[in-house]
Amino acid sequence: MLFSGPTMTSLLDTMPPTEVGERLREARENAKFTQAEAAEAADLSRTTLISIEQGQRKVRIDELRRLTNFYKLSINELMRQEAVQANLTPKFRKLFQQEDDAVETAVKKLEGLAKAETELERLLGVQHFRNYPPERLFSRGTCEPKPNRTLSICGSDSVWD
Amino acid sequence: MRQRLGLGLSPISDIVTLLELELGVRVYIRRIDGGISGLFAYDEALGACILLNGNHPRDRRAQTAAHELGHLVSTRREPEVLEEGVTENSREERYANTFGRAFMTPARAVMQKFKEITVGSEKLTRRHVIVLAHFFGVSREAIVRRLEELKLAKSGTWDWFQANGSISDQQAAQVLGDLSGPDLHKVDADRPTTLRLGLLAGEAWRRGILSEGQLARMLHLDRVELRRMFDGLEIEGSEADGALMPD
């Protein structure tokens, strides 16, 4: 067993039920199961699963085990303290139609990888070094490039900074 | 940006690594379906994140990356999906496109190289285009359109090439020989992860913090790909894997 840290039951006691529920919901969605399917697999009623996911009812350790088995996760992975809760999907929502599977799949990939990298940083105790340029908001004028000058009003301007 | 990074007028040989290791942007390359060139998003916790399409050739991915860099500069808080063949006319899109072109193919550098490479010839030949595109790390179409934009080539030059047999990969291979090759593109696209993610994953594995299975799941790879990534890395405390860090 590679994971070393607080025991599962103590984590289950200290992590707020809403957070446990949120992680379970995310895990279910990532595994692409409906609440009905997951409830059946874990031998729960759908309403019970719903209240677990919403944090209204604390999940029991045996239920947790059955759910994570079904989602093909270890309990460790689900409960990891370093797991990142950021979400990119909502940010993209207004950019794609509900039926646009391809975009949603791509966004989920990006989200998954970015979270994985962030989680690895936390596990390794490493800081993410950011060296972004200052934000350049738009100035007046057009974005036509001017061939005989290296600067134009926007766009190529910031290239030279 | 170029000044900040100490690039002057030089071509960008590896924009992905530049983004990852100089700017600290999270960049990933994966094969994506659905006509998407790339994604850009910014999140307080995660930082700036870019996804490039591994199905596209390397020079096209570089152009997408440069475009997304333009977004990082100007409209950081807004996410973007860059789709193939869709020309957006919003100000933000035009900015990012202009930025991308100027970043990969700065006007002064293009003018200089154009003069050197065409050596006074009256015609712009396929060979000229191939060499220029290779030098700047952009596609042949991109460099010709940039030449048109900078009035170094007549407007409609790319269309002319397309109508007259285009400029094929085989011709490029003939001109560039060992310097080019579909192999290069394939290697990049098939690399399981970008550099930083690979380094972090390798270290987590080496320290025994995560198992192979856990890492494979986290990185959306299968075990074979993961093992290929770790090929050559010794595990379980081999003496020869690396030298000790100074205290």
Side-chain angles (χ1 to χ4, degrees), chain B residues 114-127:
Chain B
F114 175 80
K115 262 195 271 194
E116 283 174 33
I117 283 169
T118 54
V119 286
S121 164
E122 277 168 12
K123 282 199 188 163
L124 179 70
T125 67
R126 285 173 173 74
R127 178 177 293 267

Side-chain angles (χ1 to χ4, degrees), chain A residues 77 91 94 109 114 117-118 121 128 130-133 135-136 138 145 147 155-156 158-161, chain B residues 1-4 9 22-24 26 28 31 46 48 73-74 76-79 95 111 149 196 217:
Chain A
E77 284 172 277
K91 295 184 202 279
K94 53 182 169 149
K109 267 189 199 165
E117 193 171 317
T118 310
E121 286 163 359
H128 179 219
R130 294 184 197 183
N131 182 26
Y132 303 155
E135 261 177 284
R136 293 271 306 228
F138 286 111
S156 41
S158 10
V159 168
W160 288 104
D161 289 345
Chain B
M1 178 73 65
R2 277 177 160 266
Q3 199 168 60
R4 230 178 114 82
L9 287 170
E22 287 242 32
L23 295 174
R26 302 190 192 278
Y28 311 103
R31 294 183 185 272
L46 302 172
V73 168
S74 64
R76 188 167 306 182
R77 313 279 153 176
E78 290 303 309
Y95 180 99
M111 288 190 257
E149 188 180 43
R196 187 158 188 275
R217 261 195 300 270

Side-chain angles (χ1 to χ4, degrees), chain A residues 55-128:
Chain A
Q56 287 155 4
R57 175 191 169 308
K58 251 185 164 174
V59 68
R60 294 197 309 254
I61 193 76
D62 57 304
E63 294 167 340
L64 185 60
R65 192 163 286 128
R66 289 197 296 273
L67 284 168
T68 51
N69 274 346
F70 187 58
Y71 304 150
K72 300 230 188 313
L73 279 181
S74 71
I75 296 185
N76 288 353
E77 284 172 277
L78 186 82
M79 299 296 280
R80 256 205 307 272
Q81 294 289 50
E82 298 82 5
V84 181
Q85 296 306 306
N87 251 309
L88 295 181
T89 312
K91 295 184 202 279
F92 279 94
R93 208 143 263 154
K94 53 182 169 149
L95 289 181
F96 62 83
Q97 316 300 86
Q98 282 304 97
E99 317 84 42
D100 202 337
D101 272 339
V103 176
E104 183 157 11
T105 307
V107 174
K108 287 249 176 277
K109 267 189 199 165
L110 178 59
E111 187 178 78
L113 289 166
K115 283 165 104 161
E117 193 171 317
T118 310
E119 195 168 338
L120 283 168
E121 286 163 359
R122 293 189 189 179
L123 284 168
L124 294 169
V126 161
Q127 273 270 50
H128 179 219

Side-chain angles (χ1 to χ4, degrees), chain A residues 156 158-160, chain B residues 1-2 5 7-8 10-12 15 18-19 23 62 65-67 69 97-106 136 146:
Chain A
S156 41
S158 10
V159 168
W160 288 104
Chain B
M1 178 73 65
R2 277 177 160 266
L5 299 169
L7 291 170
S10 349
I12 314 282
I15 190 171
L18 189 147
L19 284 166
L23 295 174
H67 174 104
L69 180 55
N97 286 333
T98 307
F99 181 97
R101 284 198 303 276
F103 191 70
M104 294 300 288
T105 46
F136 285 102
R146 185 65 167 146

